[in-house]
Amino acid sequence: MASAVTDRAIGAIKQMVIDGTLKPGDRLPTESELSERIGVSRNSLREAVKALSVIRVLDVRQGDGTYVTALEPEQLLESLAFVLDLHQDSSYVEIIEIRRLLEPVAVEQACPHLVDEDFVRLEQTMADLDGSSTIEELVEADIAFHHLINDRCPNDYLSSLLDSLASSTSRARVWRGLTDDSAVERTLSEHRRILDALRAGRADLARTYAAAHVAGVESWLLQKGEPPVS
C-alpha cells in the first residue's frame, strides 16, 4: 500500500511537470502544501521526491527546498548510464545491438549540421593514431570520433543515449583490440569512409558505413562471446 501511495505521488508530480504547473528551475511548494494538494502523507511525498531526485527530475537543496531540474537529456539519462554500467558484463551484445540500430540514424541526422571546424576535429582523432598507438588510445579516439558526430545530431536525447552506450561498451572494444592485430588499421579505414561520406554531404552513405562499423563489433562479439571479467 505504501508503495502504491508513493507511486501516486510520483505520478502527480510528474503530471505537474508535464502540464507546465511546474517548469524547469521552479521551486516545489512546501512539503505540507504539496502533500495536501496531492492527497498523500508527508512520508509518501518524501519517498516520491527522493525517487525523482535519483533520476534527476528533482534537485533537493538542503535548507533551500526542492527544485525541478533543467530536465536536460544528459541529466535524465544519467540513471540509464548507471544501469548500463552495472549490467555491462552480461549485456555487451545487447548494448552493441542498440548502438547498431540507433547510431546510423544519428550520423545521418548529424550530416547537414557538421561544419568545417567539426571536420578538422574529426580528422585530428584519426591523425593521432598510428601503428604505435595503444589499444586504450584507439578506444579513446574511437569514442571521441563518434561523440563529435553524435553531438551534431539535432535529437539531444538520441545523442545523449549514444554517449551512454559508447562508454558502456568501451571494455568490449579494448578486448577486441587486444585480440586483433589490425584493430588500428581497420578502425581508421572505417572512420575514413564515414568521414568522407559526411564531408561529401552523403548522409545516406554515412548511415550505411556507420551501421557496418558498429555491426563489425557486434559480429565479432557474437563469435567470441562476452569479454572476460577484469
Side-chain angles (χ1 to χ4, degrees):
M1 178 62 72
S3 177
V5 175
T6 299
D7 287 345
R8 180 154 59 87
I10 291 172
I13 297 172
K14 173 185 170 184
Q15 187 57 46
M16 292 170 73
V17 172
I18 291 173
D19 64 24
T21 303
L22 289 173
K23 298 180 177 62
D26 280 356
R27 187 179 189 276
L28 267 64
T30 63
E31 187 178 89
S32 58
E33 181 183 345
L34 189 56
S35 62
E36 183 176 348
R37 183 188 303 184
I38 295 174
V40 298
S41 69
R42 290 192 183 189
N43 283 338
S44 294
L45 179 60
R46 290 189 195 109
E47 289 301 313
V49 168
K50 186 184 303 181
L52 289 169
S53 66
V54 168
I55 60 173
R56 305 301 300 275
V57 171
L58 298 179
D59 178 22
V60 180
R61 304 175 190 175
Q62 200 66 34
D64 186 31
T66 300
Y67 292 78
V68 180
T69 67
L71 301 178
E72 294 291 341
E74 55 269 25
Q75 284 182 316
L76 300 178
L77 288 169
E78 279 183 9
S79 56
L80 174 61
F82 182 76
V83 172
L84 289 173
D85 286 341
L86 289 177
H87 292 278
Q88 60 178 298
D89 287 337
S90 60
S91 306
Y92 278 112
V93 174
E94 289 86 350
I95 295 172
I96 289 289
E97 182 181 12
I98 297 172
R99 269 196 68 205
R100 174 174 55 78
L101 294 171
L102 297 181
E103 188 148 334
V105 177
V107 170
E108 183 176 40
Q109 292 184 4
C111 185
H113 301 282
L114 291 163
V115 298
D116 289 343
E117 182 183 348
D118 296 321
F119 290 119
V120 170
R121 294 170 67 192
L122 287 166
E123 289 282 3
Q124 191 61 52
T125 65
M126 296 191 293
D128 291 339
L129 296 174
D130 56 35
S132 64
S133 299
T134 66
I135 297 305
E136 288 75 14
E137 289 171 338
L138 170 63
V139 172
E140 183 179 345
D142 186 48
I143 290 176
F145 180 87
H146 292 287
H147 170 73
L148 285 169
I149 297 173
N150 294 335
D151 194 48
R152 288 292 178 258
C153 172
N155 186 323
D156 290 339
Y157 287 93
L158 180 55
S159 59
S160 295
L161 174 58
L162 286 169
D163 276 347
S164 298
L165 296 176
S167 61
S168 297
T169 56
S170 60
R171 195 156 67 84
R173 283 181 276 182
V174 169
W175 184 43
R176 186 188 189 194
L178 291 172
T179 57
D180 183 354
D181 294 335
S182 62
V184 173
E185 180 182 349
R186 186 197 61 257
T187 299
L188 287 175
S189 174
E190 293 174 359
H191 282 189
R192 172 55 60 191
R193 290 199 304 173
I194 296 170
L195 179 53
D196 286 350
L198 289 170
R199 196 192 299 274
R202 290 295 305 273
D204 55 335
L205 278 181
R207 175 176 180 152
T208 299
Y209 293 149
H213 178 53
V214 181
V217 180
E218 181 185 17
S219 176
W220 182 86
L221 276 174
L222 288 170
Q223 293 176 17
K224 299 292 185 179
E226 304 290 351
V229 177
S230 58

Coordinates of all heavy atoms in Angstrom, one line a residue, residues 126 129 135 138-139 142 172-194 212-217 220:
M126 N 41.8 10.9 -35.9 CA 42.5 9.9 -36.7 C 44.0 10.1 -36.9 O 44.8 9.2 -36.9 CB 41.8 9.7 -38.1 CG 40.3 9.3 -38.0 SD 39.6 8.9 -39.6 CE 39.7 10.5 -40.4
L129 N 46.4 8.7 -34.3 CA 46.6 7.2 -34.2 C 47.6 6.8 -35.3 O 47.6 7.3 -36.4 CB 45.3 6.5 -34.4 CG 44.2 6.7 -33.4 CD1 42.9 6.0 -33.9 CD2 44.7 6.2 -32.0
I135 N 46.0 0.2 -27.4 CA 44.5 -0.1 -27.6 C 43.7 0.9 -26.9 O 42.6 1.3 -27.3 CB 44.3 -1.5 -27.2 CG1 45.0 -2.5 -28.0 CG2 42.8 -1.8 -27.2 CD1 44.8 -2.4 -29.5
L138 N 43.4 3.9 -28.9 CA 42.5 3.6 -30.0 C 41.0 3.8 -29.6 O 40.2 4.4 -30.3 CB 42.7 2.2 -30.6 CG 41.7 1.7 -31.6 CD1 41.7 2.6 -32.8 CD2 42.0 0.3 -32.0
V139 N 40.7 3.2 -28.5 CA 39.3 3.2 -28.0 C 38.9 4.6 -27.6 O 37.8 5.1 -27.9 CB 39.1 2.2 -26.8 CG1 37.7 2.4 -26.2 CG2 39.3 0.8 -27.2
D142 N 38.3 6.4 -30.8 CA 37.0 5.9 -31.4 C 35.8 6.6 -30.7 O 34.9 7.0 -31.4 CB 37.0 4.4 -31.2 CG 35.8 3.8 -31.9 OD1 35.6 4.1 -33.1 OD2 35.0 3.0 -31.3
A172 N 34.6 -3.8 -24.1 CA 34.5 -4.8 -25.2 C 35.4 -4.4 -26.3 O 36.0 -5.3 -26.9 CB 33.0 -4.9 -25.6
R173 N 35.5 -3.1 -26.6 CA 36.3 -2.6 -27.7 C 37.8 -2.8 -27.3 O 38.6 -3.1 -28.2 CB 36.0 -1.2 -28.1 CG 34.7 -1.1 -28.9 CD 34.4 0.3 -29.3 NE 33.6 1.0 -28.2 CZ 33.2 2.2 -28.4 NH1 33.4 2.9 -29.5 NH2 32.5 2.8 -27.4
V174 N 38.1 -2.6 -26.1 CA 39.5 -2.8 -25.6 C 39.9 -4.3 -25.8 O 41.0 -4.6 -26.3 CB 39.7 -2.4 -24.1 CG1 41.1 -2.9 -23.6 CG2 39.6 -0.9 -24.0
W175 N 39.0 -5.2 -25.4 CA 39.2 -6.6 -25.5 C 39.4 -7.0 -27.0 O 40.3 -7.8 -27.4 CB 38.1 -7.4 -24.9 CG 38.3 -8.9 -24.9 CD1 39.5 -9.5 -24.6 CD2 37.3 -9.9 -25.2 NE1 39.3 -10.9 -24.7 CE2 38.0 -11.1 -25.0 CE3 36.0 -9.8 -25.6 CZ2 37.3 -12.3 -25.3 CZ3 35.3 -11.0 -25.8 CH2 36.0 -12.3 -25.6
R176 N 38.6 -6.4 -27.9 CA 38.7 -6.8 -29.3 C 40.0 -6.3 -29.8 O 40.7 -7.0 -30.6 CB 37.6 -6.1 -30.1 CG 37.6 -6.5 -31.6 CD 36.6 -5.7 -32.4 NE 36.5 -6.2 -33.7 CZ 35.9 -5.6 -34.7 NH1 35.4 -4.4 -34.6 NH2 35.9 -6.2 -35.9
G177 N 40.5 -5.1 -29.4 CA 41.7 -4.6 -29.9 C 42.9 -5.4 -29.4 O 43.9 -5.6 -30.2
L178 N 42.8 -5.9 -28.2 CA 43.9 -6.8 -27.7 C 44.0 -8.1 -28.4 O 45.1 -8.7 -28.4 CB 43.7 -7.0 -26.2 CG 43.9 -5.8 -25.3 CD1 43.4 -6.2 -23.8 CD2 45.3 -5.4 -25.3
T179 N 43.0 -8.5 -29.1 CA 43.0 -9.8 -29.8 C 42.9 -9.7 -31.3 O 42.7 -10.6 -32.0 CB 41.8 -10.7 -29.3 OG1 40.6 -10.0 -29.6 CG2 41.9 -11.0 -27.8
D180 N 43.1 -8.4 -31.8 CA 43.0 -8.2 -33.2 C 44.2 -7.3 -33.6 O 44.2 -6.1 -33.3 CB 41.7 -7.5 -33.5 CG 41.5 -7.2 -35.0 OD1 42.5 -7.5 -35.8 OD2 40.4 -6.8 -35.4
D181 N 45.2 -7.8 -34.3 CA 46.4 -7.1 -34.7 C 46.1 -5.9 -35.6 O 46.9 -5.0 -35.7 CB 47.4 -8.0 -35.3 CG 47.9 -9.0 -34.3 OD1 47.9 -8.7 -33.1 OD2 48.4 -10.1 -34.7
S182 N 45.0 -6.0 -36.4 CA 44.7 -5.0 -37.4 C 43.7 -4.0 -36.9 O 43.1 -3.2 -37.7 CB 44.1 -5.6 -38.6 OG 42.9 -6.3 -38.4
A183 N 43.5 -3.9 -35.5 CA 42.5 -3.0 -35.0 C 42.6 -1.6 -35.4 O 41.6 -0.9 -35.8 CB 42.5 -3.1 -33.4
V184 N 43.8 -1.0 -35.3 CA 44.0 0.4 -35.6 C 43.8 0.7 -37.1 O 43.0 1.6 -37.4 CB 45.5 0.9 -35.2 CG1 45.7 2.3 -35.8 CG2 45.7 0.8 -33.7
E185 N 44.4 -0.2 -37.9 CA 44.2 0.0 -39.4 C 42.7 -0.1 -39.8 O 42.2 0.7 -40.6 CB 45.0 -1.1 -40.1 CG 44.9 -1.0 -41.6 CD 45.7 -2.1 -42.3 OE1 46.5 -2.8 -41.6 OE2 45.5 -2.3 -43.5
R186 N 42.0 -1.1 -39.2 CA 40.6 -1.3 -39.6 C 39.8 -0.1 -39.1 O 38.9 0.4 -39.8 CB 40.1 -2.6 -39.0 CG 38.7 -3.0 -39.4 CD 38.1 -4.0 -38.5 NE 37.9 -3.5 -37.2 CZ 38.7 -3.9 -36.2 NH1 39.7 -4.8 -36.4 NH2 38.6 -3.4 -34.9
T187 N 40.0 0.3 -37.9 CA 39.2 1.4 -37.3 C 39.4 2.7 -38.1 O 38.4 3.4 -38.5 CB 39.6 1.7 -35.9 OG1 39.3 0.5 -35.1 CG2 38.8 2.8 -35.3
L188 N 40.6 3.0 -38.5 CA 40.9 4.2 -39.3 C 40.3 4.1 -40.6 O 39.7 5.1 -41.1 CB 42.4 4.4 -39.4 CG 43.2 4.8 -38.2 CD1 44.7 4.9 -38.4 CD2 42.7 6.2 -37.7
S189 N 40.3 2.9 -41.2 CA 39.7 2.8 -42.6 C 38.2 3.0 -42.5 O 37.6 3.7 -43.4 CB 40.0 1.4 -43.1 OG 39.3 1.1 -44.3
E190 N 37.5 2.4 -41.5 CA 36.1 2.6 -41.3 C 35.7 4.0 -41.0 O 34.7 4.5 -41.5 CB 35.6 1.6 -40.3 CG 35.7 0.1 -40.7 CD 35.4 -0.9 -39.6 OE1 35.0 -0.4 -38.5 OE2 35.4 -2.1 -39.9
H191 N 36.5 4.6 -40.1 CA 36.2 6.0 -39.8 C 36.4 6.9 -41.1 O 35.6 7.9 -41.2 CB 37.2 6.5 -38.7 CG 36.8 6.1 -37.3 ND1 37.4 6.5 -36.2 CD2 35.8 5.2 -36.9 CE1 36.8 6.0 -35.1 NE2 35.9 5.1 -35.6
R192 N 37.4 6.6 -41.9 CA 37.6 7.4 -43.1 C 36.4 7.3 -44.0 O 36.0 8.4 -44.6 CB 38.9 6.9 -43.8 CG 39.2 7.5 -45.2 CD 39.2 9.0 -45.2 NE 40.3 9.5 -44.3 CZ 40.4 10.7 -43.9 NH1 39.5 11.6 -44.3 NH2 41.4 11.1 -43.1
R193 N 35.8 6.2 -44.2 CA 34.7 6.0 -45.0 C 33.5 6.9 -44.5 O 32.8 7.6 -45.3 CB 34.2 4.6 -45.1 CG 35.2 3.7 -45.9 CD 34.5 2.4 -46.4 NE 33.9 1.7 -45.3 CZ 33.2 0.6 -45.4 NH1 32.9 0.1 -46.7 NH2 32.7 -0.1 -44.4
I194 N 33.3 6.8 -43.2 CA 32.2 7.6 -42.6 C 32.5 9.1 -42.8 O 31.6 9.9 -43.2 CB 32.1 7.3 -41.1 CG1 31.6 5.8 -40.9 CG2 31.1 8.2 -40.4 CD1 31.7 5.4 -39.5
A212 N 27.7 -0.5 -40.7 CA 28.7 -1.5 -40.9 C 29.8 -1.5 -39.9 O 30.2 -2.5 -39.4 CB 29.3 -1.4 -42.3
H213 N 30.2 -0.3 -39.5 CA 31.2 -0.1 -38.5 C 30.8 -0.7 -37.1 O 31.6 -1.5 -36.5 CB 31.5 1.4 -38.3 CG 32.5 1.7 -37.3 ND1 33.8 1.2 -37.3 CD2 32.5 2.6 -36.2 CE1 34.5 1.7 -36.3 NE2 33.7 2.6 -35.6
V214 N 29.6 -0.4 -36.7 CA 29.2 -1.0 -35.4 C 28.8 -2.4 -35.5 O 29.1 -3.2 -34.6 CB 27.9 -0.2 -34.9 CG1 27.5 -0.7 -33.5 CG2 28.3 1.3 -34.7
A215 N 28.3 -2.8 -36.7 CA 28.0 -4.2 -36.9 C 29.2 -5.1 -36.8 O 29.1 -6.3 -36.4 CB 27.2 -4.4 -38.2
G216 N 30.3 -4.6 -37.2 CA 31.6 -5.3 -37.2 C 31.9 -5.8 -35.7 O 32.3 -6.9 -35.5
V217 N 31.7 -4.8 -34.8 CA 32.0 -5.1 -33.4 C 31.0 -6.1 -32.9 O 31.3 -7.1 -32.2 CB 31.9 -3.8 -32.5 CG1 32.2 -4.2 -31.1 CG2 32.9 -2.8 -33.0
W220 N 31.7 -9.6 -34.2 CA 32.9 -10.2 -33.5 C 32.5 -10.7 -32.1 O 33.0 -11.7 -31.7 CB 34.0 -9.1 -33.4 CG 35.3 -9.6 -32.8 CD1 36.3 -10.2 -33.4 CD2 35.6 -9.4 -31.4 NE1 37.3 -10.4 -32.5 CE2 36.9 -10.0 -31.3 CE3 35.0 -8.9 -30.3 CZ2 37.6 -10.0 -30.0 CZ3 35.6 -8.9 -29.1 CH2 36.9 -9.5 -28.9

